[in-house]
Amino acid sequence: MTHSAAAPSPSNKAARQTAVPGKCQTDPPGDRAANPYPGLAAFKPEAHHLFFGRDEDSERVVARLAETRLISVIGRSGTGKSSLVAAGVVPRFAGLLGQLSYLRCEPQGSPFHQLADVLGRELPGTDSAIAHQAVDSVQRALTEASDSRQSEERLAVASVALLRQRKRPLLLLLDQFEELFTLTPVACALRFRQLFGALLEIDDLYLVLTLRSEFTVRLMEWLGEDLFRASLVALEPVSGETQLQAIITGPAQACGVPVQAELVSTLLSAASASRGALPLIALTLERMFEERDARQGLTLEAYERMGGLASIVDTAAASIERLIDSEPQLELACARLFAELATVIDEVPTRRTVEIATLRADRQISRLVDALRSQGFLSDPDDQHVEFAHETLLTHWPRLRQWCARYRDSLSLRRQAKMAAREWWQLVAQEAGSPPAGEHGSNPQLWSWERQKPVLLALLDLSHRAALAEADFRDPGIAAWRTLAAHLDKTLHRFLRPEPLRLLDELASDETQHHRREEIGLRLNQMGDPRRGVGLTAEGLPDIVWIDIAAGEVQLEGKASEVFVVKPLRVSRYPITWQQYGTFLAADDGYHDRRWWRKLVQRKQPGETRWGFQNHPAINIAWSDAVAFCRWLSERLALAGPEVIRLPTEWEWQWVAQGGPMRRKYPWGSDWNPARANSHESGTGRTMAVGMYPLGAPEGETVADLAGNVWEWCLNEYDHPGNTQIGGDISRTLRGGSWLDFPGDLRAAKREEFSPDDRDGDIGFRVVLAAPLE
């Protein structure tokens, strides 16, 4: 807010009581005079005649300003720093200089933008043609503003140029300066130091910072020790009885309203027993003035009726609590509003400044904004933003205090992510010359999934939204992302797009090299592969994603050239992975349970766990092992219908691999494409994670790895394909080719055989859900 100081020096009390005609001091005691107590809000310069008890502190700051143009007013929350500067220092300094303009600005999360915005809207004394050009330059920079470093530089140049066009001295209050260290990315704060240095060189520009004492060291590091010490003004809490009495009685008496001596004595006693009591006293007096007795003014009886100093926030919040209790939907709206207005920094609850338009977009939240504002719980730092009137609410309003404690960790994670996202985007914009249009899956500055996931869960927690059902992923972090994506700002959206999704996007191009696909599979395994169908269910059983396959018929090639009918069935999207097969090996009723080995050869030990990454296909699997696994899983899943889990027949397998009636040579088409399968040509020399070649699937299907990676067991015999009965040592059919094989072996129609009781490092299996054939 801008003020041109025209009031006389407030050192004379009589002058202070007659300085602004029409104010409450001229109203008779019984009239509904304007309330002289601001409550939790800070005093403003125009209310200097109502600002009592801080003469000594005000004079001390003014004396320092006469010597230096930079002052850092540092004190604990509740010491009245903002009020002291605005209502104590500004009028006195104006009287000393003869004329003075005043602006207030909060750094918030974008100090360059905030300063330029205040200057462009409110800077007085800019009525020359050159000044108008400077204003236009600032407003143009604001219109084109982004999170880029180049945008910050344009805002800085325009702001300095505009400030040089002033016609009179200006005191610029950079209020709540701790926001530069709590809400602003580190790199941005360092760049703002350069702009700050330029401001210090502008004649007749006086800079006053207010800062919570917890952030003293950060300010010293930011300013530099010499400049910090030269600017420091430590502000202690008001504790002197004379000062407190003036604060309590002065505003009311200036309006001709009496204050009972018993009330003054009680408030003095309560203040001395409570740390940081000044905001509570201010709120108490504001409410008492509204309910004052027409003859006795502010009374002890009214104070006790309100519950005293310790209960004043409860009393003030009572109407809000009744409103929320009467309409349950407002409780959810209240939690969402708190998520916008509060954060936690170093485990200390802190208020945030939010665009009012964002809050007005939700009708229920908008109603709460009005309710909180009516009780003085919200204030407007400018005409576009809103914030809690004072940090006191964060610790003294039970609902808000409990909410901050409940969501402390989530709030802290959100803040870290927002700051990191802005720093990342500025770096990307700087390196690219302009903000890139696409995603940056391999950008090393992006967070890993291990850091993204807890943030997404925290944001979901704060949003109070139910997670959307997720068909392709079992991970709750990705479900949180799907739920929140449409509600995140662009920078956070890009920054928090889950690493697994970025990696999987890379797979959807033939340009992605085989070694990169292998890296992606290993990285997915490292983070706990979130894809459905790869791992386990919540119950610890293999999580199979079933793909529906329509009926058809298949003619086998070679000597076994019979035509076989394929009935409708469901096939697993991926071959069985090591993690899934491992449950069978580890279960008490698994591999070593004789029930599953009827008519099968059971070896004492399972095959070697080679390349045993959880999301890689299980290998060294004999046909007998695979059949036993299917029997076990059918039992464990307690399948109720006529279907069982079993190995596919080779005609079922081929029908899927050739794209059904398309009868393709390879799952993707008629021509060999070395980029679409893990074969001998890939050069990996081993298996890789399942599903690393999505373009290798048949068109219109999502059945993966039907060519390459591992050979897959089929149920039927090789020489007599119509025989699907269990038992005997006749070779069984393999299909699909493996990492060892050349293109001819990866054809959809290629038949291969292997002894049912032998194992090999390139043989695995997938399963179907279909009618039993044993």
Side-chain angles (χ1 to χ4, degrees):
M1 183 174 291
T2 305
H3 303 275
S4 297
S9 171
S11 58
N12 181 287
K13 295 297 182 183
R16 291 177 65 180
Q17 294 184 22
T18 59
V20 184
K23 296 295 181 182
C24 67
Q25 69 270 14
T26 65
D27 296 322
D31 288 359
R32 302 314 298 174
N35 199 320
Y37 297 99
L40 294 174
F43 278 93
K44 297 179 179 179
E46 58 264 32
H48 68 88
H49 60 288
L50 301 172
F51 186 65
F52 289 84
R54 310 302 296 271
D55 292 345
E56 184 178 335
D57 289 326
S58 299
E59 295 290 356
R60 182 160 56 102
V61 177
V62 169
R64 293 289 301 280
L65 275 174
E67 300 171 354
T68 178
R69 291 188 293 107
L70 171 63
I71 296 295
S72 302
V73 180
I74 298 178
R76 293 205 307 257
S77 177
T79 52
K81 300 180 290 295
S82 301
S83 294
L84 176 74
V85 175
V89 173
V90 169
R92 283 177 168 79
F93 200 48
L96 183 65
L97 297 182
Q99 60 176 351
L100 179 70
S101 298
Y102 165 71
L103 282 177
R104 176 185 177 273
C105 174
E106 294 180 20
Q108 299 178 28
S110 305
F112 291 92
H113 190 283
Q114 292 303 121
L115 178 60
D117 184 53
V118 169
L119 294 176
R121 289 187 294 111
E122 302 187 21
L123 185 64
T126 52
D127 51 0
S128 67
I130 296 177
H132 282 303
Q133 291 177 2
V135 171
D136 290 342
S137 179
V138 167
Q139 292 175 343
R140 187 163 53 253
L142 285 167
T143 301
E144 300 170 354
S146 66
D147 284 334
S148 70
R149 182 172 181 175
Q150 292 84 349
S151 176
E152 291 177 350
E153 291 172 351
R154 288 192 294 270
L155 290 169
V157 170
S159 298
V160 171
L162 179 55
L163 282 166
R164 294 187 186 280
Q165 300 303 316
R166 289 174 298 103
K167 301 299 183 183
R168 55 178 176 264
L170 169 67
L171 189 150
L172 175 60
L173 170 60
L174 295 171
D175 206 7
Q176 299 181 42
F177 203 68
E178 62 272 7
E179 291 175 353
L180 190 73
F181 312 117
T182 60
L183 301 180
T184 305
V186 174
C188 178
L190 292 175
R191 290 192 292 272
F192 190 69
R193 179 63 181 86
Q194 298 174 357
L195 171 58
F196 193 80
L199 299 181
L200 291 173
E201 296 176 359
I202 299 176
D203 293 338
D204 290 331
L205 176 60
Y206 297 87
L207 301 173
V208 179
L209 315 179
T210 63
L211 184 94
R212 284 167 55 181
S213 54
E214 299 98 309
F215 301 94
T216 301
V217 173
R218 296 197 197 184
L219 179 63
M220 181 174 67
E221 293 171 346
W222 187 82
L223 279 176
E225 185 172 354
D226 291 343
L227 188 58
F228 168 77
R229 294 191 182 282
S231 71
L232 176 62
V233 174
L235 189 63
E236 298 297 329
V238 176
S239 57
E241 188 171 305
T242 302
Q243 287 179 290
L244 284 169
Q245 185 165 344
I247 290 170
I248 294 167
T249 63
Q253 291 175 352
C255 296
V257 175
V259 181
Q260 275 188 354
E262 295 86 350
L263 172 62
V264 174
S265 177
T266 301
L267 279 173
L268 289 175
S269 177
S272 64
S274 177
R275 177 181 175 182
L278 198 57
L280 298 178
I281 292 175
L283 179 61
T284 300
L285 293 169
E286 179 197 36
R287 296 190 65 81
M288 291 187 66
F289 191 88
E290 290 296 323
E291 301 179 18
R292 66 190 181 279
D293 185 90
R295 296 181 59 189
Q296 299 182 72
L298 309 188
T299 65
L300 178 61
E301 180 185 357
Y303 172 78
E304 292 175 340
R305 191 167 57 245
M306 289 181 181
L309 201 64
S311 302
I312 189 58
V313 174
D314 282 1
T315 302
S319 62
I320 302 170
E321 296 290 351
R322 286 195 296 271
L323 176 64
I324 293 172
D325 289 342
S326 67
E327 300 185 42
Q329 69 271 23
L330 288 178
E331 186 163 2
L332 176 59
C334 187
R336 288 180 173 170
L337 177 60
F338 287 172
E340 296 297 322
L341 293 172
T343 189
V344 170
I345 300 168
D346 297 334
E347 300 191 357
V348 178
T350 305
R351 54 184 171 165
R352 297 174 73 222
T353 304
V354 186
E355 287 188 5
I356 187 65
T358 302
L359 303 180
R360 292 297 188 194
D362 185 295
R363 188 177 70 85
Q364 299 297 351
I365 290 178
S366 184
R367 290 178 61 201
L368 281 172
V369 167
D370 292 335
L372 267 64
R373 179 176 276 140
S374 70
Q375 295 302 314
F377 281 16
L378 295 182
S379 62
D380 307 291
D382 55 52
D383 59 3
Q384 298 178 19
H385 295 84
V386 68
E387 63 188 9
F388 279 126
H390 201 277
E391 280 94 354
T392 293
L393 289 171
L394 297 161
T395 54
H396 285 80
W397 184 7
R399 178 183 290 272
L400 181 54
R401 182 181 66 246
Q402 292 162 12
W403 184 89
C404 287
R406 159 68 176 81
Y407 294 100
R408 178 190 62 192
D409 294 340
S410 294
L411 291 166
S412 181
L413 285 171
R414 179 185 67 179
R415 171 180 167 269
Q416 293 173 31
K418 281 180 171 289
M419 295 181 69
R422 285 192 58 201
E423 289 185 341
W424 164 78
W425 191 244
Q426 287 182 344
L427 180 63
V428 169
Q430 178 183 346
E431 293 178 349
S434 61
E439 303 293 343
H440 294 264
S442 60
N443 191 312
Q445 299 295 329
L446 286 169
W447 277 2
S448 67
W449 183 233
E450 287 82 358
R451 295 194 71 183
Q452 288 177 321
K453 181 175 177 177
V455 170
L456 288 168
L457 294 175
L459 292 177
L460 183 66
D461 194 27
L462 291 170
S463 76
H464 294 273
R465 291 181 171 89
L468 298 176
E470 179 53 59
D472 295 324
F473 299 92
R474 185 168 290 279
D475 194 293
I478 294 180
W481 162 258
R482 300 288 196 207
T483 308
L484 296 169
H487 307 281
L488 299 175
D489 65 69
K490 276 197 291 189
T491 300
L492 201 59
H493 185 281
R494 293 182 180 103
F495 186 69
L496 288 180
R497 187 167 190 273
E499 182 189 3
L501 300 185
R502 299 200 310 267
L503 294 175
L504 292 171
D505 278 353
E506 287 189 59
L507 301 177
S509 170
D510 286 339
E511 300 301 315
T512 303
Q513 299 298 308
H514 296 288
H515 71 86
R516 177 59 181 159
R517 295 177 189 273
E518 185 176 28
E519 289 174 355
I520 289 172
L522 292 171
R523 175 66 186 125
L524 289 170
N525 180 75
Q526 184 182 42
M527 66 179 71
D529 199 319
R531 294 173 294 166
R532 288 187 181 272
V534 174
L536 307 178
T537 66
E539 293 74 29
L541 293 174
D543 174 29
I544 310 295
V545 171
W546 299 111
I547 308 300
D548 290 316
I549 303 297
E553 63 178 29
V554 169
Q555 181 175 2
L556 304 182
E557 71 175 12
K559 295 179 180 179
S561 58
E562 295 122 296
V563 174
F564 290 88
V565 174
V566 177
K567 296 180 180 179
L569 74 153
R570 308 176 82 185
V571 62
S572 62
R573 174 175 291 176
Y574 305 112
I576 297 299
T577 64
W578 273 123
Q579 185 175 21
Q580 294 170 335
Y581 190 67
T583 60
F584 174 59
L585 301 183
D588 291 338
D589 65 344
Y591 181 88
H592 295 286
D593 193 320
R594 282 296 306 162
R595 284 180 294 167
W596 321 124
W597 298 91
R598 179 175 50 86
K599 297 184 179 180
L600 297 172
V601 174
Q602 180 187 18
R603 297 190 189 180
K604 291 184 178 180
Q605 297 299 328
E608 176 191 1
T609 306
R610 193 177 183 192
W611 306 318
F613 302 105
Q614 301 274 47
N615 61 356
H616 280 221
I619 56 174
N620 289 315
I621 307 294
W623 180 85
S624 299
D625 300 334
V627 172
F629 172 89
C630 291
R631 290 171 170 175
W632 169 79
L633 188 56
S634 294
E635 178 78 14
R636 289 296 299 268
L637 293 180
L639 298 178
E643 298 173 325
V644 296
I645 294 172
R646 60 170 171 81
L647 293 177
T649 63
E650 65 172 312
W651 53 90
E652 291 170 338
W653 191 99
Q654 182 175 324
W655 178 250
V656 177
Q658 71 182 27
M662 301 298 291
R663 293 184 171 84
R664 287 177 168 161
K665 184 175 181 179
Y666 299 101
W668 55 83
S670 298
D671 298 322
W672 168 248
N673 187 336
R676 296 191 174 182
N678 180 24
S679 68
H680 180 84
E681 293 185 14
S682 70
T684 59
R686 67 175 185 178
T687 62
M688 66 171 67
V690 299
M692 294 297 99
Y693 295 87
L695 295 182
E699 183 178 355
E701 296 178 4
T702 55
V703 185
D705 298 349
L706 290 163
N709 216 15
V710 291
W711 287 99
E712 298 180 13
W713 284 115
C714 293
L715 185 63
N716 56 285
E717 292 182 357
Y718 179 79
D719 290 327
H720 306 284
N723 184 11
T724 58
Q725 296 303 302
I726 304 301
D729 57 1
I730 304 299
S731 293
R732 300 284 170 161
T733 305
L734 293 170
R735 287 300 193 106
S738 76
W739 56 271
L740 270 171
D741 298 298
F742 292 91
D745 288 330
L746 274 65
R747 293 180 298 109
K750 171 64 177 176
R751 305 181 70 230
E752 189 54 83
E753 63 176 311
F754 206 66
S755 170
D757 300 322
D758 287 344
R759 297 161 174 161
D760 207 346
D762 63 344
I763 298 178
F765 70 106
R766 80 173 68 229
V767 296
V768 298
L769 183 63
L773 295 178
E774 292 186 32

